Amino acid sequence: MLYDEGGTGVPILLLHGLMGSARTWSDQLGWLREFGHVYTFDAAGHGRPAPAELGTEAFVADLAAATAAIADPMVLVGHSMGALHGWVFAAAHPERVRALVVEDIAPDFRGRTAAGWAAMIDGWPQPFPDEAAVLSYFGDVAGRYFLRAFRRDGDGYRLHGAVSTFRDISEEWGGRDFWAQWEALRIPALLIEGEFTITPAGQMRRMAERAGTRYVWVAGAGHLVHDEQPQRYREEVESFLRDVLTRG
């Protein structure tokens, strides 16, 4: 579940979004190794068993156990669900996190439901027979995201977890908020929000009011900023890492 991607120095842990995988970050590994020792991680329920209870704290406990051997404080780089798990982890284990990158997720989705979204996923024509079929169905950006996450069986590509698991992870966000965990942080953070975000309006800008937080809005990007505008994403993350890693 935890993969050593090489490099030396400060540990940098990459956390993928819902229905993603450690391979989500394939295009970012090379340049991130210039800043530290890079690790990727497959969240529970994504190609391996889910926790018995699908609450955020269970995923954070799983992450804490999986990374227990990483002795030095980490830089956490997260997308969507991974970013949320990252800041809840940092709030619970402040001594283990040095800095945080949050891509396109906010603390409060209360009132939203994943029921329609899950029904749509249930309608996907799985298995997809080949890579071309995945790209044709989802488009280039989302298609590459799913190709890096789907499992490949003898008859083609399919989800690497249960739709009910993904639905219930998302449903929890519709019933609670994570402002307290965000406001408890005392570490530098970079927020990256796409123009066509999934987040409730204004929340990431409000998050940026916390001391030590930098906010970046990326015009023309949707939820997958790191895939849709990789050069802009790289520039912003590199600038942030240079700043926080030279503070000693």
Side-chain angles (χ1 to χ4, degrees):
M1 68 188 79
L2 181 69
Y3 305 96
D4 187 333
E5 305 288 1
T8 59
V10 173
I12 300 173
L13 176 63
L14 309 180
L15 303 173
H16 65 79
L18 188 64
M19 298 196 295
S21 80
R23 292 176 295 163
T24 292
W25 303 105
S26 299
D27 291 342
Q28 285 72 43
L29 296 178
W31 57 266
L32 280 168
R33 290 189 192 103
E34 299 173 14
F35 292 90
H37 191 158
V38 180
Y39 298 86
T40 56
F41 180 70
D42 280 328
H46 294 68
R48 63 187 183 92
E53 298 291 332
L54 292 176
T56 294
E57 284 75 14
F59 287 93
V60 168
D62 176 77
L63 176 60
T67 58
I70 300 176
D72 294 330
M74 298 177 284
V75 175
L76 302 184
V77 178
H79 169 244
S80 194
M81 177 191 76
L84 172 62
H85 289 175
W87 89 61
V88 176
F89 176 92
H93 306 278
E95 75 287 353
R96 298 192 58 193
V97 183
R98 180 169 180 168
L100 179 68
V101 177
V102 172
E103 180 188 352
D104 218 62
I105 193 68
D108 189 354
F109 287 83
R110 285 177 294 176
R112 295 192 181 186
T113 178
W117 167 80
M120 177 191 70
I121 295 172
D122 268 329
W124 288 356
Q126 300 184 76
F128 295 91
D130 51 32
E131 290 188 11
V134 175
L135 294 172
S136 175
Y137 191 82
F138 295 105
D140 183 57
V141 173
R144 285 186 288 112
Y145 180 85
F146 285 121
L147 281 171
R148 290 171 175 167
F150 284 173
R151 73 175 192 265
R152 185 178 183 181
D153 298 326
D155 56 353
Y157 293 85
R158 67 182 75 237
L159 279 168
H160 58 323
V163 174
S164 59
T165 296
F166 301 142
R167 179 199 64 213
D168 290 350
I169 291 170
S170 184
E171 282 287 340
E172 183 208 19
W173 306 337
R176 62 180 294 196
D177 72 87
F178 299 89
W179 278 113
Q181 293 90 337
W182 173 255
E183 292 167 352
L185 300 184
R186 298 295 181 266
I187 54 174
L190 169 65
L191 308 180
I192 300 175
E193 182 174 23
E195 178 179 3
F196 307 108
T197 180
I198 67 162
T199 64
Q203 284 199 26
M204 292 194 76
R205 290 182 184 273
R206 177 181 162 192
M207 291 170 72
E209 295 173 3
R210 189 194 67 92
T213 305
R214 181 186 304 183
Y215 171 82
V216 174
W217 183 82
V218 182
H223 187 50
L224 297 167
V225 180
H226 64 278
D227 284 333
E228 294 176 80
Q229 295 203 24
Q231 186 58 38
R232 176 71 187 282
Y233 178 87
R234 176 177 178 174
E235 290 169 357
E236 298 296 345
V237 174
E238 285 186 333
S239 175
F240 175 71
L241 292 177
R242 288 190 192 99
D243 287 347
V244 300
L245 297 182
T246 56
R247 294 179 186 178

